Amino acid sequence: MSLSFSPALPSVVARLRAAGCVFAEDEARLLVSAARTPAELDDMVDRRAGGLPLEHVVGWAEFCGLRLAVDPGVFVPRPRTEFLVRQAAALARPGAVVVDLCCGSGAMGAALAATAGPVELHAVDVDPAAVRCARRNLTAAGGTVYEGDLYAALPAALRGRVDVLVASPPYVPTGAIGLLPAEARVHEPQVALDGGTDGLDVVRRVVAGADVWLAPGGRLLVETSEAQARETADAVARAGLAARLTYDEELDATAVIGTRRGSGRRAGHGGGTTG
């Protein structure tokens, strides 16, 4: 915390609490520490009180122990997605070819590069703002970020070479978008939230195309909701991959893992059945 601003802390807490911020004390401490001048602090508090996500106000998010840039208008990585990263990191080996689809800020790719050792990292997003942000976050890891629609954006040379393919696609049903907190529905891109009528439109496309890109024994890991997990796993099985479900109660996180049949050189071995 910037000691010169510490007297401002109680008033910042009060302003945030009045605006309905549940974690007003924690957020106030973060804003006070981030501001360089009293005027900047006042502006940051105004923007947060006005509903802008805290991560957009300070310009970064903490994810898997990393501080990652999150620009205004870019999807904010969720804590539950750390579960998907942990599952993927357990499967990746140094030198693995890793692809992050619907990468947003590039949070998953950055975390995997930090935890799995040196990897050949590729990331894709359809949103130009997300692509710019992801490039900032993945440069240090030597990652390459492509702008485009899922697999169409990837270089053909990656076909059949991907060891670990992670995706946190939009999976909110269109009719439920209006039920999301204002921070998400107002300040995050619709394309990062809206998964179609049942929430699985993009998920199905990710699953259907995975087999062509995965190496033998390669893994696809898809984040979804608990309610959508069974249908997602069925789609993975229909795509010819061995499918299994994983769930973390503490984070309320669900992932479906699909394994391309055959033996891989870099990814882990094995695979489950639909559970």
Side-chain angles (χ1 to χ4, degrees):
M1 181 184 299
S2 301
L3 293 178
S4 60
F5 293 142
S6 58
L9 187 60
S11 65
V12 172
V13 171
R15 289 169 64 186
L16 295 178
R17 188 176 289 127
C21 297
V22 176
F23 303 104
E25 291 83 0
D26 292 339
E27 293 191 11
R29 282 191 286 269
L30 195 154
L31 292 173
V32 167
S33 68
R36 293 166 294 185
T37 67
E40 185 177 40
L41 176 61
D42 191 57
D43 177 67
M44 293 172 78
V45 174
D46 279 347
R47 285 186 286 150
R48 178 62 183 134
L52 195 67
L54 180 66
E55 295 82 1
H56 289 166
V57 174
V58 299
W60 57 269
E62 184 174 334
F63 184 80
C64 289
L66 303 176
R67 181 177 289 196
L68 300 168
V70 180
D71 298 330
V74 174
F75 183 80
V76 176
R78 308 302 201 246
R80 70 170 65 94
T81 305
E82 295 187 6
F83 175 63
L84 192 72
V85 172
R86 291 200 301 267
Q87 298 293 305
L91 299 172
R93 301 290 182 265
V97 177
V98 175
V99 170
D100 180 0
L101 289 182
C102 307
C103 70
S105 65
M108 283 201 296
L112 279 171
T115 56
V119 296
E120 181 183 331
L121 177 61
H122 304 266
V124 177
D125 204 283
V126 72
D127 179 18
V131 169
R132 289 192 295 269
C133 187
R135 284 175 177 157
R136 291 171 59 197
N137 287 321
L138 298 181
T139 297
T144 304
V145 186
Y146 310 91
E147 180 181 333
D149 184 27
L150 300 180
Y151 300 106
L154 291 173
L158 287 178
R159 288 176 178 262
R161 292 187 55 234
V162 178
D163 297 305
V164 176
L165 198 163
V166 295
S168 179
Y171 56 85
V172 180
T174 303
I177 296 291
L179 303 177
L180 293 175
E183 290 182 21
R185 69 174 188 271
V186 175
H187 297 288
E188 292 182 320
Q190 184 94 353
V191 70
L193 302 171
D194 192 344
T197 302
D198 65 354
L200 293 176
D201 284 0
V202 183
V203 171
R204 291 190 189 93
R205 293 179 57 215
V206 168
V207 169
D211 185 66
V212 174
W213 296 88
L214 289 174
R219 276 13 190 288
L220 164 69
L221 299 95
V222 182
E223 181 177 278
T224 186
S225 71
E226 186 176 8
Q228 298 162 322
R230 172 59 60 181
E231 188 167 349
T232 301
D234 288 345
V236 169
R238 288 194 300 271
L241 307 177
R244 63 184 176 93
L245 304 179
T246 57
Y247 178 73
D248 184 277
E249 184 175 0
E250 182 179 353
L251 291 173
D252 188 25
T254 302
V256 177
I257 302 176
T259 303
R260 184 181 173 192
R261 302 177 193 280
S263 59
R265 293 173 298 168
R266 291 180 290 269
H269 298 284
T273 57
T274 302

